[in-house]
Amino acid sequence: MADSGSEYIAVIGNTDLTPSESENNLKNTMVEKGTSLLKKMEISVAEAEKRTGKNAVNMQETYTVYLIETRPVDAASEGTNPVPDSLWRRYSEFEQLRNYLLVTYPFLVVPPLPEKRAEFVWHKLSADNMDPDFVERRRVGLENFLLRVASHPDLSTDKIFYSFLTEENGWKETVFETGFQAKADSRLKALNATFRVKNPDKRFAEMKHYGDELQSVISQLLRVRARAADRLYGVYKVHGNYGRVFSEWSAIEKEMGDGLQSAGHHMDAYAASVDDILEEEEHYADQLKEYLFYADALRAVCRKHELTQYELEMAAQDLTSKKQQREELATGTIRTFSLKGMTSKLFGQETPEQREAKLKMLETQIEEGEELVKERNGECEEFVKSAWVDIERFKEQKDHDLREALISYAIMQISMCKKGIQVWNNAKECFSKM
Amino acid sequence: MSAGTPRALASSGQKPIQDIRHPLSAEESALSRSPDVLHPGGAGERDLILPNGTPVDTSSPTSSSSLLNRLQLDDDLDGETRDLFVTVEDPKKHVSTMETYITYRVCTKTTRTEFDLPEYSLRRRYQDFDWLRNKLEESQPTHLIPPLPEKFVMKGVVDRFSEEFVETRRKALDKFLKRVADHPVLSFNEHFNAFLSAKDLNKRQGLALLTKMGESVKYVTGGYKVRARPVEFAAMGDYLDLFTQKLGTIDRIAQRIIKEQSEFLMELREYGPVYSSWSSFEEDLHDPLEGVSGCVSNCSSALEELTEDMSEDFLPVLREYVLYIESMKNVLKKRDQVQAEYETKLEAVVFREDKKTSVPADVEKCQDRVECFNADLKADWDRWENNKRQDFRQLLTGMSDKNIQYYEKCLAAWESLIPLLQDKQEAKGETN
């Protein structure tokens, strides 16, 4: 069997498996920590389709569904190439899955979903959710989301995730049964409330700050890029007018005519080339957007850590005050002000029996409190440990991915320049023959 | 309008007359641009600095500017050996109590016997060029006189003393003189000679000449009608009308492109620095992001150059051709006028005399005038057509070259970035 702890496991040795056996193997090996689902299973979001149906308030609505296809890797490599399993999911179901993961693994940087509504658009792109280009880019984004989750050492082992990929019916019920929704709501409430941590963890504070900065800078980048794309579009398209006027001009010329006419065609080609260029640049924008949303996920982890620490501090504080009360009660000295203390002073001391009862109650509370503090401390330590491992993993992934994105962006620019040189050389040749 | 800010012309006294550079050597502005402070490694023209610090060499023999120069001087249409070379160079500002104006140095080299000396170098101002053109029009009414750049400039709109404006004007004046010098008839005109060689132009002479020429110089709008305009001249007129339209359209398109490019440039100037500020809080990604920022900055500079070049070189030449067309149209009108005169006279004669006597002398003279004019005009038209073809070939290949240069600069910048982006990865691989 594969050993747990290592991230990339080779395919299970025995290849003489029946389809049902390999299916079983898949399910069993999945449970182990440290395996990447992606090594076992091909996942893709193959198609998108429009559906109409009645929504919660019984109104007709149109929505898009996405086809998730899965296929065991072994089967494909054997060359049998079976038909993949598939099911349809809506964007809202993806959201549910993600929310479940957020609640269940608050210490992990959970991969983000593609944007709900098109933002940072430049004029040509429609901001309409039904626009086919938007839907297509969303399809790619959803596939990317699934692949990210499936290649995460911890998230990929999640059963709910697995059934999301494989069980069309009943998944919604299964995920609700986990009670994540209630947890999510209470967490959200707690996170939204303002609280101050007494001894903030420096590392997490720095990480949160980094997340803030990253989010801000990528937003700015995307905004300016969209504006620049708009302008570039204008530059290229106006050159198309040269095509038309050269053609008209060539009609009144004798020797110059041919050269002008052909040059005009190249100007038309130049103007048309901008569409592909900007289409490719959208891909770069999408890569940046993923990390814009990843920044948010990172900040979320830091916030949750803060909450965890806050809860620990609250428990510790509570315990301390309870211990103090016990001490006062035991020694008879009142160090802390309490209304009860004042009233008892005014209206007379309590009876020894009353004191005894109080003391006993306090003892129980202190015992419980110590348990709670121990528990919360443990939670906090666990959180910090797991979170920091994942944050390191995330950092490496981010550096690698963004570097790759910049490289492909540079390659795009190079291609654009080469095309430009070619077109203008062609035009120049035509002009020189005028 | 140029995308950059106009620089003030250096004002000074007269420079000592240096050795006159041979007219066939590459044309260079005597006033070079001050080094661009954004690129510390650059000297003179805006040097392109790649992210790895090396400058881009765009001064190869096959670069567009030297190509352009070679094309410019390849004017030898008739194959005859030229014996008259003129250039307009070295603009200088003169400040006096009355006015401030620019003078240009006009250099002449010639072996013609009509000139007393083989070389001349003197300074002229726009007024003088204008005087020359008027004299040529008066004394050679049957010929097409090349146009001058616009005389009047709105004082508030354009800085008459900015380097860009003066340079554009100098180029146009240079072209004007060269066209006259190339013309087989105009170049022998006495006023042209005076312009090139005389210390003082006795401009008062002009008035006397004006009254002498009389009728053939009068521009009568209407009041004459040509009966039978020869087909070829009618075709010329039609062509010129259409051509003017097309040039107007091209001018508008070029302006629009410059505008769009300027706005794109504005966005780029904001875009690049964002990568810089991003790099400031990244470790591993610091260098790649800085690299991208530098790249975008280089592309911005290249674009700015392209836009300025188009503003300064492309648009003025286009506009000058519109003026050229106007001149040509006027000549056609004059021809029509002369022909109308002849036709009227001829009609009057035929009407009066019923028997065939010899045609009176003055009618004959008119006929001669018409035929002369037609011949001159035809010759000038052919010359003009050839020039037009060459000029536009040059203009449009020049435009292509500028764009090619722009893309080559950007290409070099991005290509040099790739190894920088990939660099750390290999280093990282080793440490893993």
Side-chain angles (χ1 to χ4, degrees), chain B residues 336-354:
Chain B
D336 279 354
Q337 212 179 332
V338 170
Q339 180 170 334
E341 226 184 276
Y342 165 65
E343 282 173 353
T344 322
K345 285 222 166 109
L346 189 66
E347 259 184 31
V349 168
V350 168
F351 193 69
R352 262 190 268 125
E353 303 200 9
D354 32 22

Side-chain angles (χ1 to χ4, degrees), chain B residues 141-430:
Chain B
T142 63
H143 283 288
L144 170 64
I145 317 295
L148 276 180
E150 293 283 356
K151 184 175 200 157
F152 297 111
V153 197
M154 300 252 292
K155 287 216 175 150
V157 178
V158 177
D159 179 7
R160 289 179 303 135
F161 302 108
S162 77
E163 211 182 293
E164 283 85 6
F165 177 78
V166 171
E167 176 57 17
T168 303
R169 212 178 223 203
R170 184 202 63 77
K171 281 191 203 147
L173 293 174
D174 181 82
K175 201 146 198 200
F176 168 74
L177 283 189
K178 283 189 160 73
R179 278 178 175 148
V180 175
D182 283 347
H183 197 285
V185 175
L186 295 179
S187 62
F188 287 95
N189 185 283
E190 53 172 332
H191 300 107
F192 186 52
N193 189 314
F195 180 88
L196 294 178
S197 58
K199 274 264 155 69
D200 291 305
L201 295 172
N202 194 348
K203 295 197 191 153
R204 246 168 257 120
Q205 272 179 18
L207 278 160
L209 268 156
L210 188 65
T211 49
K212 248 199 210 168
M213 290 325 282
E215 57 208 46
S216 59
V217 178
K218 272 188 276 188
Y219 293 117
V220 181
T221 49
Y224 70 91
K225 245 170 70 176
V226 173
R227 292 296 156 75
R229 185 187 288 124
V231 173
E232 53 198 329
F233 297 118
M236 283 180 199
D238 291 338
Y239 169 80
L240 289 176
D241 286 335
L242 289 169
F243 189 39
T244 310
Q245 264 180 38
K246 298 308 153 207
L247 286 186
T249 308
I250 293 174
D251 187 294
R252 276 191 301 280
I253 295 171
Q255 278 189 68
R256 177 83 187 277
I257 289 175
I258 288 170
K259 178 168 169 280
E260 295 284 343
Q261 279 175 339
S262 300
E263 294 185 339
F264 178 55
L265 181 64
M266 251 172 46
E267 300 299 347
L268 280 186
R269 291 239 181 263
E270 209 186 304
Y271 183 58
V274 179
Y275 283 101
S276 250
S277 50
W278 185 356
S279 75
S280 68
F281 56 86
E282 290 284 352
E283 292 165 20
D284 203 53
L285 290 174
H286 177 272
D287 290 346
L289 289 168
E290 269 301 329
V292 172
S293 180
C295 227
V296 173
S297 171
N298 280 339
C299 293
S300 305
S301 302
L303 181 61
E304 191 170 25
E305 254 189 80
L306 173 66
T307 317
E308 277 179 10
D309 282 349
M310 289 298 284
S311 263
E312 284 161 32
D313 295 337
F314 188 80
L315 287 179
V317 174
L318 214 58
R319 284 169 192 162
E320 181 204 281
Y321 249 87
V322 174
L323 294 175
Y324 216 165
I325 291 172
E326 283 306 308
S327 306
M328 186 54 111
K329 278 200 208 164
N330 283 332
V331 176
L332 282 173
K333 267 194 213 142
K334 273 193 266 175
R335 194 217 65 86
D336 279 354
Q337 212 179 332
V338 170
Q339 180 170 334
E341 226 184 276
Y342 165 65
E343 282 173 353
T344 322
K345 285 222 166 109
L346 189 66
E347 259 184 31
V349 168
V350 168
F351 193 69
R352 262 190 268 125
E353 303 200 9
D354 32 22
K355 53 188 171 105
K356 287 193 186 153
T357 55
S358 57
V359 179
D362 65 333
V363 179
E364 237 180 53
K365 231 165 79 176
C366 255
Q367 187 182 27
D368 283 343
R369 249 221 300 254
V370 173
E371 282 170 9
C372 240
F373 211 132
N374 287 352
D376 283 346
L377 187 51
K378 243 182 269 185
D380 273 358
W381 176 266
D382 288 338
R383 196 172 295 110
W384 183 83
E385 282 250 278
N386 257 322
N387 281 340
K388 173 202 74 180
R389 193 174 167 194
Q390 267 211 337
D391 287 342
F392 275 94
R393 187 190 303 150
Q394 187 182 310
L395 185 71
L396 293 169
T397 51
M399 172 173 91
S400 310
D401 274 332
K402 291 195 204 348
N403 277 280
I404 291 167
Q405 264 197 323
Y406 159 71
Y407 278 114
E408 279 178 347
K409 283 179 202 163
C410 293
L411 179 67
W414 287 106
E415 277 184 334
S416 79
L417 185 64
I418 298 270
L420 196 134
L421 292 176
Q422 290 174 326
D423 199 26
K424 275 258 171 90
Q425 284 195 322
E426 279 134 34
K428 254 196 137 185
E430 287 168 38

Side-chain angles (χ1 to χ4, degrees), chain A residues 72-124:
Chain A
V73 162
D74 330 35
S77 63
E78 266 176 31
T80 51
N81 211 27
V83 175
D85 296 319
S86 61
L87 44 78
W88 296 93
R89 293 262 185 239
R90 291 179 67 161
Y91 184 84
S92 55
E93 293 176 275
F94 280 85
E95 278 185 310
Q96 277 177 333
L97 171 66
R98 186 164 190 270
N99 287 337
Y100 162 79
L101 292 173
L102 281 171
V103 168
T104 317
Y105 307 90
F107 46 86
L108 295 182
V109 182
V110 177
L113 285 172
E115 54 191 355
K116 192 151 192 170
R117 264 163 284 279
E119 276 179 64
F120 306 111
V121 291
W122 60 282
H123 89 279
K124 194 207 162 206

